[in-house]
Amino acid sequence: MLSSRQSRTLTGNVAVTSVKPCKPAHVRVSSSRLGRRLLAGAVLETQQVRVQPVEFNFESYMKERASIVNAALDESMPVKYPEILLDSMRYSLLAGGKRVRPALCLAACDLVGGDIQAALPTACAMEMIHTMSLIHDDLPAMDNDDFRRGRPTNHKVYGDDIAILSGDAMLSYSFEYVARATTGVPAERIVRVICEMGKAVGFNGLVAGQVVDIKSENKEVGLDVLQFIHVHKTAALLECSVVCGAIMGGASDETVEKLRKYAINIGLAFQVIDDILDVTQTTEVLGKTAAKDLAVNKTTYPKLLGIEKSRDIADNLIKEAIQQLDGFEAAKAAPLVALAKFIGYRQC
Ligand code: GRG
């Protein structure tokens, strides 16, 4: 469903429609509506979860982290022969996006006392895996979408063949990049991270979630199946981002598992909110086609439970996530608290 403010452009010989990109986190966090919700959340959580309030500028934090990650991503993938492949990979990887997964990865490393440089290649790898999953998700054989991050999808510009292959190349490169570009970290941590990445992507993670999602289209599915889809398709990579950041930062096993619980909660909340935004936001705000779930008759949280109940579930998941941070020094936990609240109250 396209909004009237979209403009028509021509890419190659394919007529496409461009929309304004979904603005990065830092732009929207300070909007007054979200600001009020964040404030309300902070009061609630300080009463119930005992995380002490601290001064924290989320907007400038995300801006700084996104610029570190964007520079590293740009450098990680220079244009070379065959140019069409690297152009296609860079087209999607450097197209913006909120950079939530790399931010979580670096914040977890920070929280456990690590140097963020130790986790930077892993943070970039999270964005590579996320981006390749979006490229494949948008293909005609899957969700068949024309817009992503406010511009025509990869296959609309480069064709299905190159989009498939650039996703494949980006996935394999994410593993190579962690192994090759991580410095000053014991090899054992790197192996653990690569193992977590494999688990998050494959038949225990994104691919499993996507398969069940596709096979559930046009079927009546219950909350258990829907939760399986969300936990695997979306939460797995958010979990991987947090856990791998903590491992690279040298966290104890106990801390890694505490942060895993935080991440699974925000991961599930992320997709519940995504379901709500699909029916409450416009294509222009989302930077991707709105009301898509309705159009293809997908089961979602709002469809099963209604928007208000879905909103309550997301609120509780965010609250439970923040509870896992109880016991950490408040100033150090502030970025992960703010990221959880952002995920729970985002508008795109
Ligand atoms: C082989 C890894 C691999 C994947 C293939 C296609 C597929 C299997 C899985 C689909 C995974 C998918 C697209 C899940 C949706 C996750 C989601 C809610 C994406 C939106 O994330 P945002 O809002 O997007 O962070 P930006 O653009 O801001 O980065």
Side-chain angles (χ1 to χ4, degrees):
M1 209 172 292
L2 306 174
S3 90
S4 58
R5 279 151 70 193
Q6 291 162 347
S7 60
R8 289 194 70 78
T9 58
L10 207 65
T11 302
N13 57 0
V14 183
V16 293
T17 305
S18 66
V19 294
K20 278 196 211 148
C22 177
K23 294 280 190 288
H26 60 268
V27 178
R28 298 203 168 270
V29 161
S30 59
S31 76
S32 58
R33 191 163 155 232
L34 181 58
R36 278 201 303 278
R37 297 220 61 161
L38 282 174
L39 194 63
V43 172
L44 189 73
E45 279 138 17
T46 50
Q47 283 166 355
Q48 296 183 356
V49 186
R50 301 193 309 278
V51 172
Q52 296 304 309
V54 287
E55 282 287 320
F56 181 70
N57 188 332
F58 186 62
E59 181 179 340
S60 63
Y61 176 84
M62 287 302 280
K63 211 184 238 174
E64 188 239 353
R65 290 290 152 104
S67 91
I68 293 171
V69 169
N70 289 339
L73 285 173
D74 190 8
E75 213 181 306
S76 76
M77 225 174 264
V79 177
K80 56 185 265 231
Y81 186 80
E83 283 86 0
I84 188 171
L85 175 62
L86 274 301
D87 279 350
S88 155
M89 292 164 78
R90 289 173 59 85
Y91 173 82
S92 292
L93 190 62
L94 305 176
K98 297 182 287 294
R99 305 312 197 203
V100 166
R101 293 152 193 84
L104 285 166
C105 182
L106 298 179
C109 179
D110 247 348
L111 175 66
V112 302
D115 177 345
I116 63 161
Q117 287 306 322
L120 187 54
T122 307
C124 290
M126 296 303 127
E127 194 59 32
M128 290 174 198
I129 295 171
H130 171 54
T131 301
M132 74 73 46
S133 79
L134 299 178
I135 295 173
H136 281 194
D137 192 47
D138 292 334
L139 285 164
M142 303 232 191
D143 269 8
N144 193 17
D145 253 308
D146 291 353
F147 300 101
R148 178 65 72 175
R149 292 177 167 170
R151 48 204 309 217
T153 42
N154 197 292
H155 67 272
K156 280 274 159 193
V157 178
Y158 294 95
D160 296 1
D161 45 6
I162 298 298
I164 292 167
L165 292 166
S166 58
D168 292 345
M170 210 181 298
L171 181 59
S172 76
Y173 189 57
S174 68
F175 287 81
E176 177 192 340
Y177 191 66
V178 169
R180 195 164 46 75
T182 305
T183 52
V185 173
E188 187 220 351
R189 286 186 206 167
I190 300 175
V191 172
R192 272 180 77 190
V193 161
I194 288 174
C195 185
E196 290 283 345
M197 286 167 61
K199 191 180 79 173
V201 168
F203 67 81
N204 282 315
L206 271 77
V207 173
Q210 183 76 348
V211 167
V212 178
D213 192 13
I214 289 169
K215 293 295 171 196
S216 302
E217 265 177 32
N218 290 313
K219 280 194 191 133
E220 295 294 318
V221 301
L223 211 48
D224 51 343
V225 174
L226 188 58
Q227 190 162 329
F228 179 95
I229 294 169
H230 286 9
V231 162
H232 290 79
K233 193 178 133 171
T234 303
L237 193 55
L238 290 145
E239 173 193 336
C240 184
S241 303
V242 172
V243 163
C244 291
I247 292 172
M248 285 302 194
S252 68
D253 289 353
E254 193 191 341
T255 300
V256 167
E257 293 317 311
K258 219 172 166 196
L259 292 176
R260 193 187 295 282
K261 282 188 198 146
Y262 159 89
I264 293 171
N265 278 298
I266 57 162
L268 185 50
F270 195 100
Q271 187 58 55
V272 175
I273 297 296
D274 218 66
D275 288 358
I276 295 174
L277 294 176
D278 183 72
V279 286
T280 56
Q281 285 292 12
T282 61
T283 296
E284 187 177 33
V285 170
L286 294 179
K288 62 179 181 179
T289 314
K292 192 70 206 292
D293 297 337
L294 276 180
V296 298
N297 195 21
K298 243 185 205 181
T299 304
T300 62
Y301 270 76
K303 190 177 169 193
L304 280 186
L305 304 170
I307 290 180
E308 278 313 305
K309 185 88 180 46
S310 304
R311 179 70 262 164
D312 290 348
I313 287 173
D315 284 349
N316 278 327
L317 287 164
I318 296 302
K319 216 181 295 164
E320 276 174 37
I322 293 172
Q323 262 165 358
Q324 299 303 319
L325 303 174
D326 203 17
F328 288 102
E329 195 187 313
K332 287 202 146 218
L336 286 181
V337 172
L339 274 155
K341 287 180 191 167
F342 170 71
I343 285 167
Y345 301 105
R346 68 199 173 94
Q347 300 295 304
C348 68

